[in-house]
Amino acid sequence: MNNITNSIISSIIFGLIGIILLVFGYWFFDKVLTRIDFNQELKDKNMAVAIVIAGFMIAIGIIISGVVA
């Protein structure tokens, strides 16, 4: 394999690892750290909860990108 193919495969693998870690982080935050049912709050269109979740996902994404890179 050439260098470009290795780079593409590495990007896909690290991208998938990052997505898995982000989903796990969301689950952990939702089920373990808080007593709020985020899914129900989102169904009730609670904008404050949506902003908190967005901020959390951005923060976890930044942390994961720093660790994986």
Side-chain angles (χ1 to χ4, degrees):
M1 285 194 213
N2 60 20
N3 196 16
I4 295 174
T5 306
N6 288 338
S7 298
I8 292 172
I9 292 172
S10 295
S11 296
I12 291 170
I13 290 171
F14 284 123
L16 290 174
I17 291 171
I19 291 169
I20 291 168
L21 289 173
L22 186 63
V23 169
F24 175 75
Y26 173 76
W27 173 85
F28 186 78
F29 186 70
D30 184 27
K31 302 295 183 194
V32 178
L33 295 180
T34 62
R35 296 182 185 153
I36 302 169
D37 184 10
F38 286 139
N39 292 330
Q40 184 60 42
E41 292 294 328
L42 290 174
K43 287 178 187 174
D44 294 340
K45 299 183 180 182
N46 187 339
M47 188 63 71
V49 170
I51 292 170
V52 167
I53 292 172
F56 169 76
M57 289 203 174
I58 290 170
I60 292 295
I62 290 171
I63 292 168
I64 292 169
S65 70
V67 171
V68 174

